[in-house]
RNA sequence: GCCGAAGUGGCGGAACUGGCAGACGCGCUGGAUUCAAAAUCCAGUUUCCCUCAAAGGAAGUGUGGGUUCGAGUCCCACCUUCGGCACCA
């Protein structure tokens, strides 16, 4: 199936010409529109040029570099989820930034790849289907059409022939194919190899057929070999407690659960054991962390990822449990005997059944361990529990298993636990310590068991105090007088036998070595990162290309088969009803039997996997497909991949700092290990745009009407919790400084304790006084001014359609860039849009004749040589704009262009050459007016591939510069000096200046500091 | 609690490697143009003191210290806001 025809868009037939001349300026009609537009009329200009770019295929980019190319540049936007509400003003922020970069780069001769597509699988379309019965594909297509229209309306120079949607069967065919690559891989952590990037690495994904099969497994037969392989695949099935969200009807990844609620919708989430697909991202934890190093990403994002991966180093240590059998039927052995045994063997891969293995980052505190804790789910919990404690432990474990994550975190963190009755022996000193079970130890981290050192761990201390367990100090803090109890930093060892006096770091090294030598422990590394829960129970996601074998009774045998790569894609089954099953059973399990079952050639009955992939899957590799979107043979041609990848600049929201970027890097590394891509990292440079907030709102506070415990909800802001704005008795206002927040979001008056509600104010209600905004009618009342995240409930959402309708796309683009630095959070301001729109009008009038009946050149624009001053402004502007675009400092670039227009507008005549170069500078930012001005200046072709203007530093320099003269660091006067004057020259100039002499009169000059071209400072007494 | 980012006019923000704080834009004030309005153009706009005015002076980049001839920028401590993580041993 061809992706283009499937969506009803015919494939292009002829190669794209770069440019073609539009009708000459004298023609009275253009693109079929009457051409009377003396004033700057954004709407007419914009639709005309959009049509022109489309028809002329101006931005289509063949994979072959054009003659004279200065190199490839792949600039990518994070593709949007096409929601039903259309484009948000946040989208065009990053998209405009990349569009400026690519338009600029084309003018610098770069061969630019700049595509756009749709992250189109996802819940909302399916929820819509549940409500209306409309197939999610229909809804998705409609939403995509809206998004495409809106993006085209903004004049972005995407190569639309590369457009793709993750929901295209021709796309998810390869998503499924990549899944099969992951499924076909195991991670060989010991494998050392040199990649195509020339780097030596340890650890690699390898084909599952290369997995060594232990002889004892081999002996069990082929089915067991297959099960063994299945356990080692990078994509595997695991029965694990998962986050089941009944409201959404799906299981969610840990990352999608926030405070025990779903990230999307805020619905409660339950813990439930379920058979789920997992991706072994933890195998890559180390590389995902260390290979961040060379990337040009913001340090803060790298740190966020590193924290998410959460690498920690420490030691695993074995503790013998008293009175337990080392093996079935064997008699219990004593501590000394065990230790003796261990020192002869070595630290075993798996501990004996009577040994608890713990993970600790502080092996130096081993002498301070006063008890042990196992996670409630720990496999040894049953075996070690004494009969006396059995009932209590069972009850505790039962209760813990029912606790959701919400309960575990929200319950004011009160520690709970239960003694097992068992004791372990501390391997370093033979001390008996009790073993507890408590849910503050997680089964999913480390070994699921800890040694507790209450003196030097906050959680252990809290637990020890609650249950009256002993506390032994073993680390002396470096600062005298600091209490050792509760000290968690590095210090010097005490009460630690032969190790006393060792600094923490050295102690750690020594004891880890000693434990290792005696077979009692070893160095260990752990990660906070967990394997990626990769299945969902919804319809609108990629089906898995996997079959489960059934036995004669139709029951799954646990053995799996993958679909053949040639048979992909696995399409969705036809379904009428999209209502969730109401239980964790996947939607696809309701599919027709033809889809669900088949019989293999060897006669084995097969049932399809009915889970679907999560939305993250499609976005894990779309940047690869853009380079070769129509390839029917491979997911990407290797030569094309080598040419375009990696992405040189990737811009998107910071909300994807961890999930999307980590997942995509993981997939990329698997493909790299398996030889399908040539780079180890997909995105060499990353920039996060800052969120755009709503317009700043003024808020006053009012004591609620008596009896009315009004909630301070946003929705109440217009009514003030029962008051109309004009009816508020003056004495009910409360100053912002007196408003305090109480439990549960309630606001109250600090003085009286009465509840307080927020009340939206208008600009004319307030005035400025002493650095605060205050109420005009009662100036002692301080009010609040803040911008909030745009949201439907707050009613402060700005629709880009409306902005374009009123001011034009160029103004919207320019404003979004002018608001402030790209990475920064910033509030929207409609009058700011008006400001940049006025600038564009001034630029228009500077070049075009406003009084003429038809678009014509302003008579002031003439073929004259620029004056020295004009030349200076021109070249200074070119230099600044060029450098600012390189730095992505678009707001300052626009300021410079405003200065240019402010300068040139007052000059007549205006040299045509300067106006032309200005149009070129402006065009990446405001491409429609840029093209139009270029045409007015007499050019017949698009400026999209015109060379970027160059500047001449010599023309920027002035003959003289003004230099401030300071006395004791304060500016006291100015003098003019020749530009190149050296220190001595400037000093003598300053000293001979009458004004300066007057300042120095009667004082002793101690020192003179001269910074040539900058300033002079006389230090006097 | 831990980690990160940021605090500059009424507002968004600018200020290269320490060197004239407030570029540019918004808003506001006054003026021109107009029958009037919109649009446009011109001037002013950190605060305080002094002055009829001009000129001048002082303070000023979250707070308090420090380094320096000189600090928005560097160092130390703290406060506030935003973002992330949150029993990860």
């Amino acid at each position: 199936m061809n992706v283009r025809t499937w969506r009803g868009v015919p494939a292009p037939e002829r190669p794209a010409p770069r440019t073609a001349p539009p009708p000459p300026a004298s023609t009275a009609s253009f693109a079929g529109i009457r051409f009377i537009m003396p004033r700057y009329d954004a709407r007419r200009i914009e639709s005309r040029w959009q049509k022109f770019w489309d028809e002329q295929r101006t931005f289509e980019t063949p994979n072959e570099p054009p003659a004279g190319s200065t190199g490839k540049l792949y600039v990518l936007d994070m593709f949007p989820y096409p929601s039903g509400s259309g484009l948000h003003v946040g989208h065009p922020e990053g998209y405009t930034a990349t569009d400026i970069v690519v338009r600029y780069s084309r003018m610098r001769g770069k061969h630019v790849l700049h595509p756009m597509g749709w992250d189109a699988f996802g819940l909302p379309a399916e929820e819509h289907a549940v409500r209306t019965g409309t197939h999610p594909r229909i809804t998705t297509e409609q939403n995509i059409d809206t998004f495409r229209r809106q993006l085209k309306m903004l004049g972005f120079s995407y190569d639309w022939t590369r457009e793709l949607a993750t929901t295209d069967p021709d796309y998810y065919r390869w998503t499924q194919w990549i899944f099969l690559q992951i499924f076909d891989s195991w991670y060989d952590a010991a494998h050392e190899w040199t990649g195509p990037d020339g780097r030596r690495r340890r650890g690699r994904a390898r084909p599952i057929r290369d997995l060594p099969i232990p002889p004892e497994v081999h002996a069990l037969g082929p089915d067991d070999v297959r099960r063994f392989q299945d356990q080692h695949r990078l994509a595997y099935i695991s029965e694990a407690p998962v986050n089941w969200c009944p409201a959404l009807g799906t299981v969610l990844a840990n990352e999608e659960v926030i405070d025990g609620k779903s990230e999307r919708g805020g619905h409660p989430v339950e813990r439930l054991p379920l058979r789920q697909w997992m991706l072994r991202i933890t195998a890559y934890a180390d590389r995902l962390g260390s290979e961040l190093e060379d990337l040009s990403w913001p340090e803060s994002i790298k740190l966020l990822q590193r924290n998410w991966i959460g690498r920690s180093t420490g030691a695993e240590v074995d503790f013998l449990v008293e009175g337990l059998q080392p093996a079935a039927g064997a008699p219990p052995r004593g501590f000394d005997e065990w230790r003796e045994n261990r020192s002869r063997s070595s630290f075993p891969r798996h501990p004996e059944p009577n040994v608890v293995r713990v993970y600790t980052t502080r092996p130096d505190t081993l002498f301070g361990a006063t008890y042990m804790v196992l996670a409630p789910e720990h496999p040894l919990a049953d075996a070690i529990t004494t009969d006396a404690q059995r009932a209590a432990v069972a009850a505790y474990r039962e209760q813990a298993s029912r606790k959701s994550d919400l309960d575990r975190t929200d319950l004011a963190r009160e520690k709970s636990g239960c003694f097992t009755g068992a004791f372990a022996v501390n391997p370093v000193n033979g001390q008996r310590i009790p073993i507890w079970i408590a849910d503050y130890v997680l089964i999913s981290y480390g070994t699921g068991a800890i040694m507790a050192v209450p003196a030097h761990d906050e959680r252990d201390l809290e637990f020890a105090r609650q249950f009256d367990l002993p506390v032994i100090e073993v680390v002396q803090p470096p600062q005298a007088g600091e209490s050792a109890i509760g000290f968690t930093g590095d210090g010097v060892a005490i009460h630690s036998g032969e190790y006393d006096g060792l600094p923490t770091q050295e102690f750690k090294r020594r004891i880890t070595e000693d434990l290792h030598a005696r077979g009692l422990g070893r160095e260990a590394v752990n990660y906070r990162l967990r394997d990626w829960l990769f299945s969902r129970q919804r319809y609108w996601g990629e089906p898995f290309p996997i079959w489960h074998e059934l036995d004669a009774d139709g029951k799954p045998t646990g053995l799996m088969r993958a679909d053949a790569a040639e048979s992909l894609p696995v399409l969705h089954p036809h379904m009428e009803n999209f209502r969730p099953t109401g239980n964790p059973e996947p939607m696809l399990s309701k599919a027709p039997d033809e889809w669900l079952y088949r019989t293999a050639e060897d006669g084995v009955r097969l049932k399809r996997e009915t889970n679907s992939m999560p939305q993250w899957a499609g976005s894990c590799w779309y940047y690869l497909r853009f380079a070769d979107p129509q390839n029917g043979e491979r997911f990407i041609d290797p030569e094309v991949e080598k040419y375009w990848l990696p992405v040189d600049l990737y811009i998107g929201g910071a909300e994807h700092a961890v999930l999307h970027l980590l997942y995509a890097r993981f997939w990329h590394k698997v493909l790299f290990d398996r030889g399908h891509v040539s780079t180890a990292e997909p995105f060499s440079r990353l920039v996060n745009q800052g969120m755009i907030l709503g317009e700043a709102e003024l808020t006053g506070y009012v004591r609620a009407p008596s009896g009315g415990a009004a909630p301070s909800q946003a929705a109440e802001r217009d009514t003030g919790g029962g008051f109309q704005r004009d009816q508020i008795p003056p004495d009910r206002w409360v100053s912002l400084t007196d408003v305090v927040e109480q439990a549960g979001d309630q606001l109250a008056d600090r003085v009286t304790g009465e509840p307080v509600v927020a009340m939206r104010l208008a600009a004319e209600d307030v005035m400025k006084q002493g650095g605060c905004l205050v109420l005009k009618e009662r100036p002692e009342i301080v009010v609040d001014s803040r911008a909030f995240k745009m949201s439907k409930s707050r009613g402060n959402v700005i629709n880009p359609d409306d902005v374009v309708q009123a001011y034009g796309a160029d103004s919207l683009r320019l404003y979004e860039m002018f608001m402030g630095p790209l990475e920064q959070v910033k509030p929207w301001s409609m009058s700011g849009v008006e400001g940049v729109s006025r600038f564009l009008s001034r630029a228009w009038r500077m070049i075009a004749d406003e009084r003429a009946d038809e678009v014509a050149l302003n008579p002031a624009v003439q073929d004259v040589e620029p004056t020295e001053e004009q030349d200076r402004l021109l070249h200074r502007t070119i230099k600044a704009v060029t450098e600012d675009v390189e730095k992505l400092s678009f707001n300052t670039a626009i300021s410079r262009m405003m200065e240019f227009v402010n300068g040139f507008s007052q000059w007549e005549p205006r040299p045509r050459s300067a106006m032309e170069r200005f149009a070129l500078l402006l065009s990446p930012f405001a491409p429609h007016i840029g093209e139009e001005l270029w045409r007015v200046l007499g050019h017949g072709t698009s400026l999209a591939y015109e060379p970027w203007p160059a500047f001449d530093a010599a023309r920027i320099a002035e003959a003289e510069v003004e230099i401030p003269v300071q006395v004791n660091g304060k500016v006291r006067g100015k003098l003019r000096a020749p530009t190149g004057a050296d220190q001595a020259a400037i000093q003598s100039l300053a000293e001979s200046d009458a004004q300066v002499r007057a300042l120095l009169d009667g004082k002793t000059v101690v020192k003179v500091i001269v910074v040539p071209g900058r300033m002079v400072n006389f230090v006097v007494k």
Side-chain angles (χ1 to χ4, degrees):
Chain A
M1 195 185 293
N2 179 294
V3 54
R4 307 244 80 75
T5 51
W6 168 75
R7 256 209 317 277
V9 182
E13 287 146 22
R14 56 196 164 91
R18 260 295 141 61
T19 56
S26 58
T27 313
S29 90
F30 180 86
I33 299 167
R34 266 288 288 171
F35 197 66
I36 300 172
M37 199 191 58
R39 268 206 175 159
Y40 168 53
D41 183 344
R43 263 190 287 165
R44 282 201 199 168
I45 294 179
E46 291 174 358
S47 57
R48 217 148 32 80
W49 281 101
Q50 283 156 19
K51 197 165 165 219
F52 174 86
W53 296 324
D54 255 0
E55 286 172 356
Q56 304 301 323
R57 305 180 169 188
T58 308
F59 302 114
E60 288 184 19
T61 313
N63 277 342
E64 300 73 45
S69 155
T70 56
K72 73 95 181 177
L73 188 79
Y74 186 177
V75 179
L76 184 65
D77 292 304
M78 286 187 189
F79 67 164
Y81 171 74
S83 75
S85 40
L87 215 62
H88 179 271
V89 286
H91 290 115
E93 190 190 11
Y95 300 165
T96 304
T98 52
D99 199 54
I100 292 168
V101 171
V102 299
R103 284 176 180 270
Y104 162 78
S105 300
R106 284 192 198 102
M107 295 168 87
R108 302 295 299 248
K110 289 278 186 200
H111 185 211
V112 172
L113 179 57
H114 189 45
M116 179 45 81
W118 321 106
D119 187 14
F121 277 124
L123 272 181
E126 192 169 343
E127 277 161 4
H128 186 75
V130 172
R131 282 195 307 275
T132 65
T134 318
H135 194 283
R137 185 171 293 284
I138 308 281
T139 315
T140 303
E141 269 183 72
Q142 287 169 348
N143 292 349
I144 287 176
D145 287 344
T146 304
F147 265 69
R148 189 190 304 104
R149 176 189 63 74
Q150 289 183 305
L151 290 181
K152 289 203 170 190
M153 165 187 91
L154 292 169
F156 297 130
S157 61
Y158 296 117
D159 176 356
W160 285 103
T161 64
R162 293 172 187 265
E163 177 187 353
L164 58 83
T166 54
T167 47
D168 295 341
D170 186 49
Y171 179 85
Y172 69 71
R173 166 187 181 184
W174 298 108
T175 309
Q176 291 168 339
W177 180 85
I178 295 172
F179 172 82
L180 288 183
Q181 295 299 307
I182 300 169
F183 180 73
D184 182 58
S185 301
W186 64 290
Y187 199 76
D188 184 350
H191 186 83
E192 292 200 34
W193 60 296
T194 306
D197 59 351
R199 251 173 79 164
R200 191 99 188 127
R201 284 185 181 77
R202 196 189 171 88
R204 181 181 193 177
R206 297 176 60 195
I208 196 72
R209 62 171 183 273
D210 294 347
L211 176 71
I213 308 294
E216 65 271 23
V217 173
H218 212 275
L220 293 170
D223 282 0
D224 287 273
V225 169
R226 285 173 67 189
R227 288 203 173 86
F228 182 82
Q229 288 176 325
D230 287 349
Q231 283 164 18
H232 288 83
R233 294 177 190 273
L234 288 184
Y236 64 98
I237 287 180
S238 127
E239 175 99 19
V242 296
N243 307 299
W244 161 248
C245 178
L248 294 177
T250 187
V251 162
L252 301 171
N254 289 331
E255 296 83 4
E256 294 167 309
V257 181
I258 293 163
D259 290 337
K261 290 187 187 128
S262 65
E263 182 191 23
R264 191 184 280 273
H267 306 293
V269 172
E270 298 168 9
R271 298 288 285 176
L272 217 64
L274 212 63
R275 200 187 56 89
Q276 295 291 338
W277 281 95
M278 309 288 287
L279 297 192
R280 208 178 297 280
I281 190 172
T282 50
Y284 283 84
D286 217 15
R287 280 165 65 188
L288 287 169
S290 63
E291 291 179 16
L292 279 170
E293 202 76 34
D294 306 326
L295 299 177
S296 309
W297 288 21
E299 279 309 313
S300 57
I301 299 294
K302 290 191 193 179
L303 196 71
L304 227 54
Q305 290 217 348
R306 285 200 193 97
N307 290 346
W308 191 266
I309 294 165
R311 185 190 149 99
S312 78
T313 55
E316 286 180 358
V317 185
D318 280 354
F319 284 65
L320 183 76
V321 182
E322 271 188 358
L324 224 56
Q325 294 176 321
R333 273 188 293 187
F335 174 65
D336 292 333
E337 195 187 336
W338 174 71
R339 205 157 64 153
E340 181 65 32
N341 230 315
R342 275 294 183 91
S343 66
R344 278 199 305 271
S345 66
S346 62
F347 191 73
R349 205 188 166 86
H350 300 288
E352 307 90 321
N354 62 337
V355 169
V356 177
R357 179 164 291 176
V358 303
Y359 171 71
T360 175
T361 56
R362 292 296 299 268
D364 62 297
T365 60
L366 212 42
F367 287 85
T370 55
Y371 64 101
M372 283 181 95
V373 183
L374 308 188
E377 304 89 347
H378 197 281
L380 236 50
D382 254 341
I384 64 168
T385 302
T386 59
D387 290 336
Q389 291 299 106
R390 198 165 300 280
V393 168
Y396 181 76
R397 293 180 73 194
E398 215 277 318
Q399 178 204 331
S401 74
R402 272 201 321 248
K403 265 195 197 176
S404 69
D405 272 9
L406 182 65
D407 300 329
R408 267 188 158 179
T409 55
D410 223 38
L411 278 180
R413 296 231 174 149
E414 182 123 328
K415 292 277 182 296
S416 67
C418 182
F419 179 44
T420 61
F423 287 84
V425 188
N426 190 330
V428 292
N429 57 10
Q431 281 285 325
R432 286 178 86 229
I433 56 174
I435 306 177
W436 286 65
I437 286 184
D439 66 3
Y440 83 93
V441 172
L442 309 174
I443 188 64
S444 51
Y445 185 78
T447 60
I450 62 157
M451 64 170 199
V453 184
H456 306 291
D457 182 285
E458 252 178 76
R459 298 150 300 185
D460 296 345
L461 184 59
E462 210 180 299
F463 190 83
R465 290 200 164 136
Q466 181 140 351
F467 294 100
D468 259 335
L469 292 156
V471 178
I472 301 173
E473 305 153 40
V474 290
V475 182
Q476 185 69 55
Q479 245 173 358
E482 193 170 346
S483 157
I485 292 181
F487 175 74
T488 56
D490 285 9
V492 172
I494 49 170
H495 305 140
S496 298
E498 53 180 306
Y499 298 98
D500 276 356
L502 282 181
T504 300
Q505 289 307 320
E506 204 185 326
F507 192 170
K508 278 188 189 177
R509 258 194 311 279
R510 281 267 297 275
I511 193 150
T512 308
E513 277 168 28
D514 293 351
L515 286 168
H516 187 73
R518 289 187 279 156
L520 298 171
R522 68 164 168 210
E523 199 183 340
V525 176
N526 264 297
Y527 301 93
R528 208 190 70 106
L529 184 72
R530 305 292 147 82
D531 276 345
W532 174 12
L533 194 141
F534 192 68
S535 41
R536 299 293 183 272
Q537 287 65 49
R538 302 310 300 253
Y539 174 83
W540 200 224
E542 298 87 347
F544 280 81
I546 294 286
W547 295 90
H548 297 279
E549 293 184 6
L550 302 178
D551 62 17
D553 303 327
K555 291 234 167 63
T557 62
L559 293 169
M560 291 179 279
R561 296 185 185 192
D563 270 304
E566 310 78 60
S567 69
L568 301 178
V570 178
L571 297 169
H572 290 87
H574 174 77
M575 284 172 73
E576 297 287 345
N577 177 3
F578 296 95
R579 207 163 298 283
T581 57
N583 55 51
E585 186 73 6
M587 282 288 292
L588 291 176
S589 65
K590 298 194 298 182
D593 282 358
E594 313 83 89
W595 190 87
L596 277 176
Y597 297 97
R598 83 180 168 92
T599 305
E601 291 74 43
D602 60 4
V604 175
R605 194 79 180 130
L606 301 174
K607 183 182 183 190
R608 236 185 235 289
E609 170 64 48
T610 53
N611 282 295
S612 54
M613 299 188 199
Q615 199 185 345
W616 305 106
S619 59
C620 270
W621 74 283
Y622 73 111
Y623 59 92
L624 290 168
R625 190 64 179 174
F626 274 142
D628 199 9
Q630 264 104 33
N631 195 326
E633 302 297 313
R634 287 184 55 84
F635 75 112
I636 184 172
D637 181 271
E639 289 307 310
V640 172
E641 186 273 326
K642 276 197 197 78
Y643 179 71
W644 282 120
L645 271 287
V647 174
D648 298 288
L649 176 64
Y650 192 28
I651 297 188
E655 66 273 21
H656 296 113
V658 178
L659 303 185
H660 159 60
L661 288 170
L662 202 62
Y663 293 157
R665 292 179 61 220
F666 163 51
W667 277 39
H668 196 87
K669 285 182 189 302
V670 177
L671 290 170
F672 176 71
D673 286 6
R674 294 298 304 267
H676 297 303
V677 298
S678 60
T679 60
E681 286 286 340
F683 315 115
S684 42
R685 184 173 179 207
L686 173 79
V687 174
N688 284 122
Q689 81 227 31
M691 205 196 320
I692 296 180
L693 306 175
E695 296 235 10
E697 293 170 24
L698 294 166
T699 308
Y701 295 92
V702 187
R703 286 204 307 276
S706 50
S712 66
Q713 296 296 317
E716 301 277 329
R717 283 174 175 264
D718 292 322
T719 58
F723 284 122
Q724 291 301 308
R725 163 70 190 93
D726 46 6
Q727 295 170 352
I728 297 173
D731 64 314
R732 298 208 79 93
W733 289 106
V734 181
S735 185
L736 173 65
T737 50
D738 287 328
V739 175
V740 289
E741 199 169 324
Q742 294 186 327
D745 248 11
Q746 284 284 316
L747 301 176
D749 185 338
R750 186 207 309 274
V751 186
T752 64
E754 286 175 87
V756 163
V757 293
M759 170 93 217
R760 194 176 291 184
L761 301 173
E764 52 271 23
D765 291 332
V766 302
M767 62 180 197
K768 187 215 156 199
Q769 192 184 67
C772 303
L773 285 169
V774 298
L775 215 55
K776 264 188 191 157
E777 52 186 276
R778 281 192 63 200
E780 70 276 18
I781 299 295
V782 178
V783 303
D784 199 9
S785 171
R786 280 185 62 174
F788 297 89
K789 207 169 161 170
M790 286 189 193
S791 68
K792 269 190 200 148
S793 61
R794 194 171 272 281
N796 60 352
V797 177
I798 305 285
N799 182 349
D801 279 349
D802 300 339
V803 181
V804 172
Q805 178 70 23
Y807 301 100
D810 283 338
S811 291
L812 175 68
R813 293 170 57 118
L814 213 54
Y815 174 66
E816 295 220 4
M817 294 300 99
F818 187 61
M819 291 170 87
L822 183 61
E823 287 102 323
Q824 203 164 296
V825 177
K826 39 209 177 276
W828 186 266
S829 149
M830 222 29 129
S831 47
V833 185
E834 238 171 279
V836 293
S837 152
R838 275 202 281 271
F839 157 67
L840 288 180
S841 301
R842 279 203 304 278
W844 176 261
R845 287 196 302 271
M846 176 177 76
I847 294 173
D849 186 355
E850 202 177 14
R851 280 157 307 198
D853 289 339
E854 295 185 0
V855 172
L857 199 60
N858 190 316
V861 178
Q862 291 167 24
D863 288 311
V864 291
E865 284 298 306
T867 65
E868 215 177 287
E869 191 185 11
Q870 289 174 338
D871 232 14
R872 193 177 306 124
L873 179 55
L874 170 68
H875 285 268
R876 201 192 286 156
T877 306
I878 296 173
K879 179 172 193 278
V881 172
T882 306
E883 289 171 357
D884 286 348
V885 170
E886 295 278 351
K887 286 187 297 190
L888 310 185
S889 177
F890 305 117
N891 55 330
T892 50
I894 294 167
S895 298
R896 296 313 194 112
M897 290 189 283
M898 287 173 168
E899 286 175 298
F900 179 94
V901 172
N902 291 347
F904 271 86
S905 293
Q906 62 185 348
W907 291 324
E908 286 191 29
R910 305 197 262 274
R912 180 194 290 264
S913 60
M915 295 302 103
E916 287 185 337
R917 277 177 280 185
F918 172 76
L920 294 173
L921 290 186
L922 180 63
S923 68
F925 297 81
H928 310 91
I929 191 175
E931 293 270 21
E932 190 66 18
L933 290 174
W934 188 244
R935 203 181 62 87
V936 170
L937 285 159
H939 295 275
T941 56
S942 163
L943 50 55
Y945 295 89
E946 282 296 314
W948 183 255
F951 65 90
D952 179 356
R955 289 169 197 257
I956 295 171
E958 285 184 77
E960 280 196 328
V961 283
E962 196 184 58
I963 290 180
V965 181
Q966 300 180 354
V967 176
N968 286 344
K970 294 201 195 270
V971 181
R972 295 297 171 182
K974 310 240 162 125
L975 63 86
R976 297 196 68 82
T979 298
D982 63 7
Q983 285 198 10
I986 291 171
Q987 186 174 341
S988 65
L989 209 62
E991 281 162 347
S992 61
D993 187 276
Q995 201 190 341
V996 175
R997 270 216 302 276
L999 288 162
L1000 299 180
D1001 196 33
K1003 296 180 176 110
T1004 317
V1005 176
V1006 182
K1007 199 175 173 187
V1008 184
I1009 291 124
V1010 182
V1011 183
R1014 284 269 180 217
M1015 44 72 67
V1016 186
N1017 188 12
F1018 291 94
V1019 186
V1020 301
K1021 268 190 200 157

